[in-house]
Amino acid sequence: MPLISSKLPSLNTLYPITSRFLSHDPGFDTHHDLSGFIRARPESYPEFPFLADLAALEYAHYSVSMIEGQDAGMVQERIVNPVLELVPVHWQHLLSFLDDQTIVPEIGDSWVLVFKRPGTEIVQTITASGHDLLALKIVSEEIGSREAANLAGITVGAIDDILAAAVQRGLLLSPGSLLVRPDSFPRGKNIDPRYFSAPTFTLQWHITQVCDLHCRHCYDRSDRKDMELSQGIRVLDDLYDFCRTHHVFTQVSFTGGNPLLYPHFNTLYKEAADRGFMTAILGNPMPRKRMEEILALQQPEFYQVSLEGMRVQNDYIRGAGHFDRTLDFLDLLKELGIYSMVMLTLTRANIDEVLELAELLRGRVDLFTFNRLAMVGEGAELASVTPDVLPGFLQEYLQAAAKNPSMGVKDNLFNLLRHEQAIPYRGGCAGYGCGAGFNFVSLLSDGEVHACRKLPSLIGNMYQQPLGEIYHGLVAEQYRQGSAACQDCEIRPVCGGCLAVAYGYGRDIFRDVDPYCGKVTERKK
């Protein structure tokens, strides 16, 4: 092990434990490597055969302590933590022995990691697991995840989980997300920087148009061709490469139509899971057996269903018996341990039932929230809430949500209320104000990619172009930028209104403001 300085501290400082077991040796120079010195003279310490390894660990600890910790934010690619020593030892329990000399080390080969976590000056010493060593090997030898998976006979997702765990432990350093709002994007006033960078990218994937319902506010009942399974596999590979290149986690939210009616759903779902993707389902109530099949592949992050008010109103929109089937299904999700979500589309007809429904769902659903109606597709036949009514409703909803843990707040306009009341902002729709084309896109069964599913917002076709090319195209950038009317708003990064609602009102979504903005509170520019 190389020396780090010609001016080393005393033997007792370098080797506080090892030095206790050494007899005085006038020929020993404390500037020399004590581990090597002991290995060269094993007969001098027969009762302590583990001392050489012990000295190596103590020296590694000192060596690492003298190096300044690294800032993970400065790296451009995943690397082994430069403030890390990998020490081979031939005795087990040495780390415990450093704290308690009554413990007796035992013969056994292993590796010990001595390192500083990024951004700290605390030296950590741990016994390396097999996964730790594999992660270090993959990165140091620049082995791709797919190649590593083939060599190990496991899935790519399993390899990436191992690498992610090594990053989390501080053994590897990884760049931050490259999904970052550009400098031209409005910064607002006193907005937390985390709203300008997305750690996760979501593909909302409409894998089929087939549905067992015909809801009165459906955004798209067009006859799109079903996707072939081979096309779906290529989409997953493209998505994997996109997210790996941009250093973000991946979520696939399967939807439709009813995604579970797609004939190859289980295969596609497993392929997504095998790539390490988080999975979610936006669908309709399904039988227990179907849900157990999904659980056997991978537990979804959530399963989202919809309710449109109390029984009469909901069944008018979604069909007779849907309300009761959905309540029974929510009970099934709870029994199976699947996080449940209920989404409501807010209309003039159901606004007075929202809080009653939320109370009915208290404790029965993990999250209940709503979107405002976008008068698009068949939704154009329904009546939106009038702008003058919305402010009072949002205030009542916030007050109820403070007492009901099942109620979530998704609509961007809630942040206008928070601004007025000087309380902390929430992320808004999808976590980043309007996240359309930023931290999520929608993929349709014919390959079309839209910035947001609730309005026509075509930005490319994944059957014809790589996702990276689509994402960084000029059209997608226009949707990410949003309306010019919002550019000077001090809360723009956590709002941006709703492009789909504006579109449904016939507004120019790139120039006009959300028609409900300004009716909630008087904004000061």
Side-chain angles (χ1 to χ4, degrees), residues 301-361:
E301 297 296 308
F302 61 84
Y303 194 114
Q304 178 179 301
V305 293
S306 296
L307 287 172
E308 309 304 341
M310 300 302 289
R311 181 178 288 101
V312 173
Q313 172 63 23
N314 176 82
D315 288 359
Y316 169 76
I317 297 293
R318 292 191 169 266
H322 177 268
F323 186 84
D324 291 329
R325 289 198 306 274
T326 300
L327 292 186
D328 290 342
F329 183 66
L330 291 174
D331 292 340
L332 174 62
L333 293 179
K334 189 171 185 178
E335 179 185 340
L336 295 176
I338 299 174
Y339 190 94
S340 61
M341 295 173 57
V342 168
M343 176 64 68
L344 173 141
T345 298
L346 186 68
T347 67
R348 196 177 305 176
N350 68 11
I351 188 170
D352 292 332
E353 298 184 3
V354 174
L355 298 186
E356 182 182 1
L357 177 62
E359 190 60 30
L360 175 68
L361 294 175

Side-chain angles (χ1 to χ4, degrees), residues 78-326:
R78 191 160 49 201
I79 62 171
V80 174
N81 185 347
V83 190
L84 179 147
E85 292 273 5
L86 181 59
V87 184
V89 296
H90 307 289
W91 292 84
Q92 297 180 1
H93 312 310
L94 287 179
L95 298 185
S96 299
F97 182 82
L98 286 170
D99 295 324
D100 182 357
Q101 283 75 63
T102 65
I103 294 174
V104 180
E106 299 176 359
I107 292 177
D109 292 342
S110 62
W111 294 85
V112 174
L113 299 170
V114 185
F115 63 102
K116 288 181 180 177
R117 289 181 58 83
T120 74
E121 293 301 318
I122 300 174
V123 178
Q124 297 190 29
T125 308
I126 62 174
T127 300
S129 69
H131 283 179
D132 293 336
L133 296 175
L134 179 58
L136 295 172
K137 177 181 177 66
I138 289 172
V139 173
S140 62
E141 297 182 11
E142 299 182 350
I143 302 172
S145 291
R146 289 191 177 100
E147 180 184 355
N150 288 333
L151 292 172
I154 58 179
T155 66
V156 173
I159 290 292
D160 284 343
D161 284 346
I162 289 170
L163 294 172
V167 172
Q168 185 69 26
R169 298 182 76 180
L171 309 182
L172 303 177
L173 273 59
S174 183
S177 168
L178 295 183
L179 299 187
V180 180
R181 297 287 195 185
D183 292 340
S184 60
F185 189 80
R187 260 36 199 176
K189 182 178 179 181
N190 299 324
I191 302 296
D192 192 317
R194 66 193 172 101
Y195 293 122
F196 298 97
S197 175
T200 300
F201 180 80
T202 297
L203 182 72
Q204 187 184 70
W205 197 355
H206 298 257
I207 59 177
T208 181
Q209 292 289 90
V210 177
C211 190
D212 48 335
L213 301 178
H214 190 144
C215 304
R216 293 177 182 269
H217 61 345
C218 186
Y219 298 124
D220 183 4
R221 295 294 299 183
S222 62
D223 185 19
R224 297 178 187 270
K225 181 180 179 182
D226 254 10
M227 170 188 66
E228 295 180 5
L229 179 59
S230 59
Q231 292 173 316
I233 301 300
R234 288 196 295 272
V235 164
L236 291 173
D237 285 338
D238 187 9
L239 178 63
Y240 178 90
D241 291 337
F242 173 84
C243 291
R244 177 70 183 271
T245 299
H246 291 82
H247 305 291
V248 290
F249 297 105
T250 313
Q251 177 171 305
V252 179
S253 294
F254 291 97
T255 186
N258 184 349
L260 275 75
L261 298 182
Y262 178 64
H264 306 295
F265 177 83
N266 283 18
T267 300
L268 201 63
Y269 188 88
K270 183 179 185 302
E271 290 285 345
D274 285 349
R275 286 161 177 76
F277 298 163
M278 295 178 287
T279 51
I281 300 173
L282 287 67
N284 299 333
M286 298 299 291
R288 172 187 289 272
K289 183 177 183 297
R290 197 73 180 86
M291 298 310 303
E292 290 174 343
E293 290 176 358
I294 293 169
L295 281 175
L297 300 173
Q298 175 169 289
Q299 178 158 334
E301 297 296 308
F302 61 84
Y303 194 114
Q304 178 179 301
V305 293
S306 296
L307 287 172
E308 309 304 341
M310 300 302 289
R311 181 178 288 101
V312 173
Q313 172 63 23
N314 176 82
D315 288 359
Y316 169 76
I317 297 293
R318 292 191 169 266
H322 177 268
F323 186 84
D324 291 329
R325 289 198 306 274
T326 300

Side-chain angles (χ1 to χ4, degrees), residues 415-430:
N415 278 327
L416 285 175
L417 286 179
R418 289 190 173 90
H419 178 65
E420 182 181 58
Q421 298 170 14
I423 57 178
Y425 304 127
R426 296 284 294 273
C429 183

